[in-house]
Amino acid sequence: MGQGLWRVVRNQQLQQQYSEQCFLQQDRERGRRVGPPLAEPLQQCHTPQCQVPGADISHLLRVRKGKEEQGFIDLEMLPPELSITILSYLNATDLCLASCVWQDLGNDEYLWQGLCKSTWGHCSIYNRRLPSGFSFRKLYMELDEGSLTFNANLQEGISYFMSRGILVDHPKEIAKFIFYTRMLNWKMLRIYLDERRDVLDELVKLHNFSNQFLPNALRDFFRHIHAPEERGEYLETLITKFSHRFCACNPTLVQEVGLSPDAVYVLCYSLILLSIDLTSPHVKNKMSKREFIRNTRRAAQNISEDFVGHLYDNIYLIGHVAA
């Protein structure tokens, strides 16, 4: 609530200062000692250099119930599109507080629809014909409650979304919901994806690694699908699926560099081990670039030395691929 309203008040102050300077300059040119009262509308300043863009709105902002009043501007006095734009900067908590003052504006469905889609980018209910009287504010509360439930108990959370009609029990729909949502606990997601490999397959397909350097693509992959803390069957599954998806998105690179899913698989493990080696404080003798090239080319002989060297530079400069 602070940022949007502060911008309006700050713009008002700047326009008042600019207006005062214009009046004083005009009066000095006319030989007057005192300029006109600042409370007069800006339209009285007829010189081109004193015309301020949006003067009508500026005059509207300066309207007060009394001279002693120094609070925020009443948003109901502004044009509706401007009021909605200001409130669109608020989060759900601040918007609820704003609705206590400006009930009609704070409960605007356009604002709550934007909050829903910016936090949960995809839900099955978005693609349906909504009934009359549907409330996006109520939907936001249900999505928030469902996310908190999922973070405590993943099975109950998924059941909650489906019982409210928010999600359809289809792997592709669930994968899109996970991909475009940042409210879900990554530990619970890891357990859920390990159990639902069909959802994991659809989630991998949503990634587009075209024209991405291999370490950057791997970082992007692990940003959505968090890597397990220990090496095991699940990590091998993730890297295998990533390797096939990366090659499918970069057919030209596969031909030019000689990459294959098996080669990418080997390079991914090399990048993970290198990331641990360079970033761990427990490893005193860090792996050199020459050592990394030698060890990697033993497992992937068809990969050029320059390409492997660039991989090392990326990890050295940017950091861990699964951080």
Side-chain angles (χ1 to χ4, degrees):
M1 190 167 172
Q3 281 189 350
L5 298 179
W6 180 85
R7 285 187 181 130
V8 173
V9 176
R10 182 56 180 162
N11 290 337
Q12 174 203 6
Q13 293 173 350
L14 293 175
Q15 290 181 345
Q16 286 179 342
Q17 294 174 3
Y18 184 74
S19 174
E20 181 181 357
Q21 293 176 359
C22 290
F23 282 128
L24 293 177
Q25 181 179 358
Q26 181 182 12
D27 290 335
R28 280 196 297 266
E29 293 175 354
R30 295 177 180 177
R32 298 178 182 177
R33 298 178 58 186
V34 182
L38 292 178
E40 295 183 6
L42 288 175
Q43 284 77 359
Q44 294 181 4
C45 182
H46 299 292
T47 57
Q49 61 181 357
C50 294
Q51 292 180 358
V52 181
D56 293 338
I57 295 179
S58 175
H59 174 65
L60 184 61
L61 292 174
R62 292 200 307 274
V63 175
R64 294 287 189 272
K65 293 181 181 179
K67 294 182 179 180
E68 71 282 0
E69 185 177 359
Q70 297 296 331
F72 282 118
I73 303 299
D74 186 357
L75 294 184
E76 293 181 349
M77 298 169 55
L78 303 179
E81 59 274 12
L82 181 57
S83 302
I84 295 298
T85 301
I86 294 173
L87 293 179
S88 65
Y89 288 96
L90 306 185
N91 57 29
T93 302
D94 290 340
L95 190 56
C96 287
L97 294 175
S99 65
C100 298
V101 181
W102 305 288
Q103 186 173 4
D104 293 337
L105 292 173
N107 293 324
D108 188 86
E109 284 295 291
Y110 172 80
L111 293 174
W112 286 101
Q113 181 181 1
L115 280 175
C116 288
K117 294 188 176 182
S118 63
T119 309
W120 298 272
H122 177 84
C123 294
S124 302
I125 196 172
Y126 294 160
N127 300 323
R128 299 177 187 169
R129 176 174 295 180
L130 302 177
S132 58
F134 179 84
S135 172
F136 275 98
R137 179 173 180 171
K138 180 181 178 181
L139 177 61
Y140 183 96
M141 303 304 174
E142 292 179 345
L143 285 167
D144 187 59
E145 183 177 352
S147 298
L148 294 175
T149 304
F150 180 91
N151 295 339
N153 187 308
L154 59 92
Q155 296 297 341
E156 290 184 5
I158 292 296
S159 299
Y160 179 91
F161 288 128
M162 294 179 180
S163 63
R164 297 298 193 280
I166 298 174
L167 268 182
V168 174
D169 189 9
H170 189 277
K172 192 171 185 178
E173 286 294 307
I174 299 175
K176 287 183 178 180
F177 176 77
I178 294 173
F179 187 81
Y180 294 107
T181 300
R182 298 293 178 267
M183 294 282 291
L184 305 179
N185 182 273
W186 64 271
K187 292 184 178 179
M188 289 297 180
L189 275 178
R190 189 175 62 192
I191 297 173
Y192 181 77
L193 294 175
D194 193 15
E195 296 175 353
R196 292 289 304 269
R197 297 298 176 90
D198 54 343
V199 177
L200 178 60
D201 291 337
E202 295 295 335
L203 188 58
V204 172
K205 294 178 182 178
L206 293 175
H207 289 81
N208 182 12
F209 302 125
S210 299
N211 301 321
Q212 288 194 34
F213 194 37
L214 180 59
N216 297 333
L218 195 58
R219 288 189 187 93
D220 185 39
F221 181 74
F222 284 136
R223 209 170 2 250
H224 290 92
I225 307 175
H226 290 270
E229 298 175 356
E230 298 180 357
R231 179 176 178 178
E233 187 269 338
Y234 181 59
L235 178 59
E236 294 179 358
T237 301
L238 290 181
I239 296 179
T240 300
K241 294 182 181 299
F242 168 81
S243 301
H244 285 83
R245 182 60 181 169
F246 183 83
C247 290
C249 293
N250 296 279
T252 305
L253 183 65
V254 170
Q255 296 177 358
E256 293 178 353
V257 183
L259 290 178
S260 65
D262 292 337
V264 174
Y265 181 91
V266 172
L267 293 176
C268 288
Y269 263 112
S270 297
L271 291 172
I272 293 174
L273 295 176
L274 178 64
S275 299
I276 297 173
D277 185 273
L278 294 182
T279 60
S280 175
H282 304 291
V283 180
K284 296 182 179 180
N285 298 322
K286 305 296 184 181
M287 184 183 301
S288 66
K289 184 175 183 179
R290 181 177 298 178
E291 291 173 336
F292 176 74
I293 293 174
R294 183 181 65 249
N295 296 336
T296 302
R297 295 200 67 206
R298 286 177 181 175
Q301 299 178 358
N302 59 327
I303 306 300
S304 67
E305 182 176 333
D306 290 340
F307 184 80
V308 179
H310 291 322
L311 296 179
Y312 181 94
D313 294 337
N314 184 279
I315 303 300
Y316 184 84
L317 295 174
I318 299 179
H320 206 301
V321 292

